[in-house]
Amino acid sequence: MRPIDYTRADSIAAAVEAFAAVGADARYIAGGTTLYDLMKLRVEQPTHLIDVSGITGLNTIDTNGDVLRFGALALMNEVAYTPFVREEYPVLSESLLKAASQQLRNMATVGGNLLQRTRCPYFRNGAGSSSTVGVYPCNKRVPGSGCAAIGGLDRGHAILGVSDACVAVSPGDWPVALTAMDASIEIHGPAGTRTLPISDFYRLPGDTPHLEFNIDHGEIITAISVPKTPSRSSTYHKIRDRESFAFALASAAVVVEMEGAIVRTARIALGGVATVPWRAHSAEEALRGKQLTPDLALQAGRTAFGDARPGQHNGFKSDLGARVIADALMIAAERSA
Ligand SMILES: Cc1cc2nc3c(=O)[nH]c(=O)nc-3n(C[C@H](O)[C@H](O)[C@H](O)COP(=O)(O)OP(=O)(O)OC[C@H]3O[C@@H](n4cnc5c(N)ncnc54)[C@H](O)[C@@H]3O)c2cc1C
């Protein structure tokens, strides 16, 4: 039994202060739907939990301003079922509704979702209890220990953004939709408040896969803002081993702006195939100014996987991912009619 201290913060300032007093062994906790799991698995071993779930005003959903603004403590279901979000930004709503389960989405926050860690089984189930490395080596869990997924059972692993140190997939659906929407993350810490584009929030593994997010110890996510660009013609398309309650094998968040059958702009981000929420710029370029047909959509999808580096068992993700992009493009374009 490991003792854990617990503080319930009633303001952002109190939370940041409590964290600073403990240091790197503290963790914020919001819905607790993933942190408690990781503690039971001994992957995360904080000595002090700072509960931010009661901070007033951090769960506000504001759709009336210049941007959509979601407080970090807004629940996944609250955001997904906000009528304006459902109607005008289906890509956001669908990314949330295709994640986890109703019960989890009623507990889990949209801020905590951004910081969930990979579901790589070697990372999650490998900690063990006695040795430092655990049952399996994992550079994300124990830097420098190696990667059991490379050359191991890698069917669910990444083929884009991989390194020789890590091939773990970024698990979230919501961050993929936010990447297609060019969202920003508002962060508050001891040094004040800053705003980071989501494209700068996630770190490629390189040779430091344990450093996953550009957020410092003690900083707290306060809100997520999304530009109010027209997005009715959008979708989040997710393929998984079963049709509910499963993480993506491949997913695509797509937002298109059409002029008749011509694609004026397309914004495409991918999940389930990459080490970070992956913006598919090459596919976007392949579509610009062209008439959208199923053939062109598939061709564009294929360009997204030109640099793919599959392992032993996940080569199928290139073809699956291209087809997911193609289907998502046709669904999104149909919504502009
Ligand atoms: C069985 C299961 C299936 C799931 N399936 C999916 C799925 O298909 N798709 C998907 O996207 N997700 C899925 N999830 C993950 C789920 O969406 C996340 O667990 C949830 O969004 C995390 O939110 P939370 O508020 O519970 O975070 P917590 O567990 O409270 O915290 C998560 C992390 O974020 C930190 N944190 C929380 N809030 C803040 C904040 N405001 N500022 C700074 N740090 C913070 C915590 O310290 C912790 O490190 C699944 C989870 C489970 C258990």
Side-chain angles (χ1 to χ4, degrees), residues 272-302:
V273 291
T275 52
V276 294
W278 191 263
R279 189 74 182 253
H281 292 291
S282 59
E284 295 175 1
E285 282 310 312
L287 292 156
R288 193 187 300 274
K290 301 208 178 115
Q291 183 171 349
L292 187 66
T293 61
D295 280 351
L296 177 73
L298 186 55
Q299 215 177 302
R302 294 212 190 286

Side-chain angles (χ1 to χ4, degrees), residues 27-35 37 72 76 99-100 104 108-109 112-113 115-116 119 172-173 219-221 238 245-247:
R27 291 288 181 280
Y28 293 126
I29 187 144
T33 61
T34 190
L35 183 56
D37 275 359
M76 289 171 73
L104 283 160
T109 64
N113 187 286
L115 292 167
Q116 61 177 299
R119 310 301 283 197
D173 295 299
E219 287 190 313
I220 182 170
I221 296 176
K238 175 175 175 180
F245 204 19
F247 288 87

Side-chain angles (χ1 to χ4, degrees), residues 231-321:
S231 300
R232 274 194 183 191
S233 309
S234 71
T235 192
Y236 186 74
H237 192 44
K238 175 175 175 180
I239 300 298
R240 40 195 158 162
D241 280 327
R242 26 164 224 268
E243 204 27 50
S244 81
F245 204 19
F247 288 87
L249 280 174
S251 68
V254 167
V255 189
V256 290
E257 198 188 339
M258 304 293 292
E259 206 170 279
I262 306 294
V263 182
R264 283 187 60 186
T265 60
R267 283 175 282 152
I268 303 172
L270 305 177
V273 291
T275 52
V276 294
W278 191 263
R279 189 74 182 253
H281 292 291
S282 59
E284 295 175 1
E285 282 310 312
L287 292 156
R288 193 187 300 274
K290 301 208 178 115
Q291 183 171 349
L292 187 66
T293 61
D295 280 351
L296 177 73
L298 186 55
Q299 215 177 302
R302 294 212 190 286
T303 67
F305 292 91
D307 294 330
R309 246 180 75 184
Q312 292 199 90
H313 309 288
N314 58 2
F316 72 96
K317 284 194 176 188
S318 285
D319 189 52
L320 180 66

